[in-house]
Amino acid sequence: MLASYTHLLPQQTSTSSHISASWPPDHWTHQSSPSIQDKLDYISTLNIKTVWLTSFYKSSLKDFRYGVEDFQEIDPIFGTMEDFENLIVAIHDKGLKLIIDFIPNHTSDKHVWFQLSRNRTGKYTDYYIWHDCTHENGITTPPNNWLSVYGNSSWYFDEVRKQCYFHQFLKEQPDLNFRNPDVLEEIKEIMKFWLAKGVDGFSFDAVKFLLEAKHLRDEIQVNKSQTPDTVTRYSELYHDFTTTQVGMHEIVQSFRQTMDQYSREPGRYRFMGTEAYAESIDRTMMYYGLPFIYEADFPFNNYLNTLDTLSGNLLYEVITSWMENMPDGKWPNWMTGGPDTTRLTSRFGNQYVNTMNMLLLTLPGTPITYYGEEIGMGNILATNLNEIYDTNTLFSKSPMQWDNSSNAGFSTGNHTWLPTNSDYHIVNVDVQKTQPNSALRLYQDLSFLHVNELLLSRGWFCLLSNDSHSVIYTRELDGIDRIFIVLLNFGESSTQLNLQDMISGLPTKLRIKLSTNSASKGSEIDTSSILLEKGDGLILEYKTNNLFHYQTAFKDKCFVSNRACYSSALNILHKLC
């Protein structure tokens, strides 16, 4: 079970809030380890508003517990249902919210539904996708060339039913048949079970796989000259018949309608996010829904996670791609790490951790932080992990580094599931909370600013400049006579910037609101000659009534979500701009 920190949506709070996205693979209560419940005070110091937990359902060890055996039971390794209920109460008592992963596409082959289905028992007969296939001398000839995400055929012969069942992922994870209305109702009942427990929302995983084409035509090869029998890798086919089928969005919309039934109580809005990874930007945006048909509050935006190099130009492309394509009135989100992504330090170097966190917490919308990114944790090194998982997906999942005691304070046991990073003696919460220039202290300052400044939580985003080194943008809001100018250097060397050339009438000196160098916080800087070293970032405060989103030169480079204006007389946001 992993966790993330997050800042939520404007309809949920008076400002956007901050999501924390995945807690270490641990538990809620355990005599040998501190639980999530024990760390809620720490989460509050990060100005986090929501905790997001990955799968904790009773399951096998296949695919990080996404082969669920029982959607209404807690896996004993994490605790009991009573532990979970106590966790929800504790989270709510701290004024926080909890969202959890939900995987509707498939179950474990040990799930009672599958056992009944393979025996053709009553209504469960068609709960999964079965089809005739030939199986002779231990060799299966599948109905078509469809492939599993993990490679090889997505059909597997079942000795009990004497048919093949379809699995988009592991063979131990048979796909549910969502063309059967009974299956959809079962999933909705599971949602209601957890909503009644008090969870504040779901992250729906793998939703693009919910439906497959009714026909069984072969999918088209990427390389048409490749011998068909050698096509075994998922990337070697175009998946036009097994992803994003007609009717899939209607299923997701029905999830939204179920959740809305639990959002009627004041202050209990239920959040819905969808995983849309590896989708094109136009397909990703479809998860927001239509003007009068609501779907996800937002599809999770992992485009920053896909970058393996940094530059001002690349960051500009990622940001504007989302903002230009997002439907009017919808809400953006950003994440810089996750369970299946190389950590920032290991991907770009520790020089850029603070810069990326400054970017994350000054962009419009909801920031999502993977646990440990606030202190600059890195991937563990490749080692003999003796695990059934793809080890390449394990290196970012090491224990949270709390202090320099045994197992980084994560556990008092003899060992942990994954080893701690060798740098835990110097990269940990205890050390960084006392260092004024640490990644943690900057993160806390940035998240505090994000929560308390309407310029960041609700304001316009206007791009001023970008090049191979830097990206420069403003955050501003109608009704507030000042703006923030954010300058970030993602280049491989220092860069000299002259804001006087970009902004007419700019004062020669501006105050530094926040800096990646804590010593310069609160000081003034010469706007005609700003030196940004590699990985440096600045937030400058500028008092003006001449907002950039009204200026013709920047009109096409300014974006806003849920436009609002601030009334200082009434101290409220309003829509009459």
Side-chain angles (χ1 to χ4, degrees):
M1 176 183 60
L2 302 170
S4 299
Y5 324 125
T6 178
H7 302 262
L8 291 178
L9 308 171
Q11 62 262 44
Q12 293 167 288
T13 57
S14 59
T15 62
S16 65
S17 75
H18 186 171
I19 296 178
S20 159
S22 307
W23 205 255
D26 189 21
H27 34 245
W28 305 306
T29 58
H30 193 285
Q31 61 182 7
S32 67
S33 302
S35 66
I36 293 174
Q37 192 166 326
D38 296 330
K39 298 301 182 180
L40 294 179
D41 285 338
Y42 169 74
I43 290 174
S44 295
T45 70
L46 301 179
N47 302 294
I48 300 302
K49 300 303 179 186
T50 301
V51 176
W52 166 13
L53 298 181
T54 55
S55 177
F56 53 74
Y57 308 101
K58 184 179 179 182
S59 59
S60 66
L61 294 176
K62 300 293 184 182
D63 198 19
F64 299 108
R65 304 193 174 279
Y66 286 93
V68 177
E69 295 177 20
D70 190 333
F71 285 103
Q72 296 181 354
E73 288 290 338
I74 305 295
D75 196 291
I77 196 172
F78 299 126
T80 65
M81 185 63 74
E82 183 180 2
D83 294 332
F84 181 77
E85 291 166 349
N86 290 337
L87 175 64
I88 292 178
V89 171
I91 284 175
H92 289 165
D93 283 349
K94 292 289 185 183
L96 305 174
K97 295 181 183 296
L98 175 68
I99 61 176
I100 62 176
D101 266 4
F102 190 41
I103 316 96
N105 178 70
H106 51 265
T107 71
S108 166
D109 58 357
K110 294 181 174 61
H111 196 290
V112 64
W113 296 346
F114 186 77
Q115 296 304 315
L116 293 169
S117 187
R118 72 197 307 211
N119 285 288
R120 303 178 190 264
T121 304
K123 70 173 185 177
Y124 298 100
T125 300
D126 295 322
Y127 263 40
Y128 297 84
I129 301 165
W130 297 93
H131 204 276
D132 292 334
C133 58
T134 60
H135 183 76
E136 297 178 356
N137 300 319
I139 298 174
T140 300
T141 302
N144 56 28
N145 74 342
W146 294 356
L147 296 177
S148 159
V149 168
Y150 295 117
N152 297 315
S153 177
S154 56
W155 297 95
Y156 189 77
F157 182 76
D158 181 65
E159 292 286 356
V160 174
R161 182 156 165 156
K162 304 301 182 184
Q163 282 186 308
C164 280
Y165 64 84
F166 181 68
H167 61 93
Q168 296 258 32
F169 295 91
L170 298 174
K171 64 180 176 63
E172 294 87 358
Q173 297 169 307
D175 275 38
L176 287 165
N177 177 16
F178 272 89
R179 297 193 186 280
N180 182 339
D182 289 337
V183 170
L184 182 56
E185 289 307 309
E186 293 269 21
I187 295 299
K188 289 180 181 179
E189 288 303 312
I190 294 167
M191 291 170 58
K192 292 175 183 178
F193 173 84
W194 291 106
L195 291 168
K197 291 284 184 186
V199 302
D200 299 289
F202 295 104
S203 162
F204 287 96
D205 286 353
V207 290
K208 72 177 182 180
F209 299 102
L210 289 177
L211 288 178
E212 299 73 35
K214 292 180 181 179
H215 62 72
L216 295 179
R217 292 199 295 270
D218 282 352
E219 292 191 311
I220 298 172
Q221 295 179 197
V222 173
N223 178 3
K224 294 181 181 178
S225 64
Q226 185 175 356
T227 304
D229 288 346
T230 67
V231 176
T232 59
R233 292 186 299 175
Y234 193 72
S235 60
E236 293 172 343
L237 293 178
Y238 293 110
H239 302 285
D240 297 329
F241 302 148
T242 53
T243 62
T244 320
Q245 297 300 291
V246 173
M248 180 273 289
H249 280 283
E250 284 76 3
I251 293 173
V252 181
Q253 288 158 15
S254 74
F255 296 162
R256 167 84 275 168
Q257 292 160 10
T258 299
M259 296 182 69
D260 285 345
Q261 297 172 20
Y262 289 80
S263 295
R264 294 168 183 161
E265 181 184 345
R268 289 308 308 272
Y269 181 81
R270 305 306 176 100
F271 167 82
M272 176 174 167
T274 54
E275 177 222 27
Y277 302 156
E279 292 274 38
S280 62
I281 190 68
D282 56 329
R283 282 193 170 188
T284 298
M285 293 300 149
M286 292 176 68
Y287 290 96
Y288 277 113
L290 300 171
F292 299 103
I293 303 177
Y294 297 114
E295 204 162 324
D297 289 296
F298 50 67
F300 291 109
N301 176 359
N302 78 321
Y303 286 90
L304 290 172
N305 289 354
T306 65
L307 299 178
D308 51 18
T309 60
L310 290 175
S311 75
N313 291 331
L314 282 174
L315 270 299
Y316 164 77
E317 290 174 9
V318 170
I319 295 164
T320 55
S321 174
W322 191 276
M323 299 304 292
E324 287 176 348
N325 287 280
M326 187 176 66
D328 290 343
K330 299 301 182 181
W331 193 251
N333 71 104
W334 315 90
M335 61 177 73
T336 55
D340 299 317
T341 303
T342 302
R343 287 188 175 276
L344 289 175
T345 295
S346 300
R347 203 166 9 138
F348 305 125
N350 58 12
Q351 304 97 321
Y352 297 104
V353 170
N354 287 340
T355 329
M356 288 298 286
N357 282 333
M358 185 171 281
L359 173 76
L360 177 72
L361 290 160
T362 56
L363 288 174
T366 295
I368 302 173
T369 299
Y370 186 51
Y371 79 92
E373 296 292 12
E374 75 275 16
I375 61 172
M377 279 178 58
N379 278 17
I380 55 175
L381 299 177
T383 183
N384 181 16
L385 298 174
N386 193 29
E387 285 289 338
I388 61 172
Y389 304 115
D390 175 2
T391 56
N392 291 325
T393 65
L394 294 176
F395 303 135
S396 64
K397 297 179 173 71
S398 61
M400 177 66 184
Q401 294 166 205
W402 296 110
D403 54 42
N404 59 11
S405 65
S406 176
N407 297 318
F410 180 78
S411 173
T412 57
N414 293 328
H415 62 85
T416 54
W417 172 53
L418 295 176
T420 54
N421 198 306
S422 59
D423 67 1
Y424 78 88
H425 290 94
I426 54 175
V427 180
N428 66 64
V429 172
D430 251 16
V431 166
Q432 292 196 15
K433 69 184 181 183
T434 62
Q435 296 175 335
N437 205 35
S438 68
L440 176 59
R441 291 288 288 273
L442 177 64
Y443 186 96
Q444 289 171 323
D445 288 344
L446 286 166
S447 61
F448 180 84
L449 194 69
H450 181 275
V451 168
N452 290 284
E453 280 285 356
L454 289 173
L455 296 178
L456 295 178
S457 60
R458 293 303 302 271
W460 286 79
F461 168 93
C462 292
L463 182 81
L464 300 189
S465 172
N466 62 279
D467 57 27
S468 60
H469 280 82
S470 63
V471 61
I472 305 171
Y473 53 89
T474 68
R475 299 304 311 279
E476 57 191 55
L477 182 68
D478 293 283
I480 296 180
D481 62 353
R482 57 191 174 85
I483 66 173
F484 289 146
I485 304 175
V486 183
L487 306 91
L488 304 170
N489 181 11
F490 295 103
E492 288 291 331
S493 60
S494 61
T495 186
Q496 195 84 24
L497 300 170
N498 185 346
L499 291 184
Q500 296 281 340
D501 289 344
M502 301 179 198
I503 306 171
S504 60
L506 188 71
T508 57
K509 299 281 187 180
L510 286 181
R511 188 173 74 90
I512 298 175
K513 186 74 173 179
L514 278 181
S515 170
T516 51
N517 179 4
S518 64
S520 62
K521 176 182 175 182
S523 63
E524 290 193 332
I525 196 167
D526 182 352
T527 57
S528 66
S529 181
I530 299 176
L531 177 64
L532 287 183
E533 298 290 349
K534 174 181 177 180
D536 274 358
L538 293 173
I539 302 175
L540 307 180
E541 195 167 26
Y542 171 33
K543 193 169 181 64
T544 181
N545 287 310
N546 187 21
L547 302 184
F548 286 86
H549 67 272
Y550 286 117
Q551 299 179 32
T552 304
F554 297 102
K555 186 175 181 181
D556 294 334
K557 294 187 175 183
C558 291
F559 307 93
V560 71
S561 307
N562 291 314
R563 183 179 181 182
C565 301
Y566 176 69
S567 168
S568 57
L570 299 175
N571 191 29
I572 61 169
L573 288 171
H574 61 89
K575 296 276 189 179
L576 302 176
C577 301

